[in-house]
Amino acid sequence: MNLYHEHSRALQDRFDSRRIADRLAEKLLRAEFSEEDRAFIVRQSFFFLATADAQGRPDCSYKGGAPGFVQVVAADTLAFPSYDGNGMFKSLGNISANAAVGLLFIDFQAGKRLRVNGHAALHLDDPLKDAYPEAQAIVRVRAQHVFPNCPRYIHRMELVEPSAYVPTAGRDTPVPGWKRSDAFKDYLPRDG
């Protein structure tokens, strides 16, 4: 589980942090989810997903849902649904071209965060899809690096209101205003 590359190492040496970097990796880095990780992930209603295309051009997306929308499905694997978005398919397109991903879970109320780096696979017909109303696909991420991250710069915030657009069983999901605007309504998918 090599976390650092030569450029990380050069900066660690420049700032005399190689010892602490190695100690952090030794004590905190893992390739499987702990029970504490599982409990933390299932409580989250969002995370940030970093992907890159085949040329290495990065993209970062916010992914949200109801708490529990991300599930740890195996010792080293988590899964989450992909819901209807803006139709650009930046994240899923990147995953199809380059499986390397980074996920960042942040609990702004508790001041805690967890990083998950690994390889993602897009599943259009995954059996988990049935558990998520309106899911278009399931993304499964096999973890390579799971580690908590220093919380000292996390600003404390609290949830004011959950999004009304998170698909929920037994309820019609509202159509966002931008999809009804004259600039976009005639360009939406025909079945949407």
Side-chain angles (χ1 to χ4, degrees):
M1 269 198 307
N2 191 3
L3 184 61
Y4 308 120
H5 52 71
E6 65 183 281
H7 300 285
S8 298
R9 289 302 197 183
L11 287 165
Q12 290 166 10
D13 292 342
R14 166 69 176 84
F15 291 99
D16 191 30
S17 67
R18 186 183 281 245
R19 290 181 314 281
I20 190 62
D22 287 344
R23 184 67 170 170
L24 287 165
E26 175 189 336
K27 290 295 190 181
L28 301 177
L29 185 64
R30 51 201 174 272
E32 294 186 349
F33 298 99
S34 68
E35 286 305 316
E36 184 180 348
D37 297 336
R38 289 171 181 259
F40 178 74
I41 289 169
V42 79
R43 287 192 310 268
Q44 304 314 303
S45 61
F46 71 93
F47 66 94
F48 298 95
L49 174 66
T51 61
D53 66 16
Q55 287 74 45
R57 293 178 297 224
D59 190 63
C60 186
S61 295
Y62 167 93
K63 299 298 181 187
F69 84 110
V70 181
Q71 298 179 33
V72 176
V73 296
D76 65 349
T77 305
L78 61 75
F80 62 88
S82 177
Y83 295 121
D84 176 49
N86 59 19
M88 295 173 72
F89 289 99
K90 296 282 291 165
S91 297
L92 299 187
N94 284 351
I95 287 169
S96 296
N98 177 353
V101 296
L103 289 72
L104 177 61
F105 295 90
I106 304 175
D107 183 332
F108 288 104
Q109 292 173 306
K112 185 175 179 180
R113 59 186 172 181
L114 182 71
R115 291 179 181 256
V116 178
N117 297 332
H119 288 94
L122 175 64
H123 299 274
L124 298 176
D125 296 313
D126 194 292
L128 271 180
K129 243 174 75 172
D130 294 338
Y132 298 100
E134 301 179 38
Q136 294 179 323
I138 297 293
V139 176
R140 291 179 180 258
V141 178
R142 185 162 183 243
Q144 289 184 297
H145 303 130
V146 179
F147 57 103
N149 203 212
C150 176
R152 72 177 156 173
Y153 298 116
I154 297 175
H155 303 292
R156 296 301 171 102
M157 297 183 223
E158 61 183 54
L159 177 66
V160 174
E161 179 180 22
S163 172
Y165 301 100
V166 172
T168 305
R171 175 180 69 86
D172 289 337
T173 302
V175 176
W178 73 268
K179 286 189 173 186
R180 293 190 303 264
S181 78
D182 289 340
F184 302 113
K185 67 182 181 182
D186 294 335
Y187 299 88
L188 295 173
R190 287 172 186 82
D191 63 353

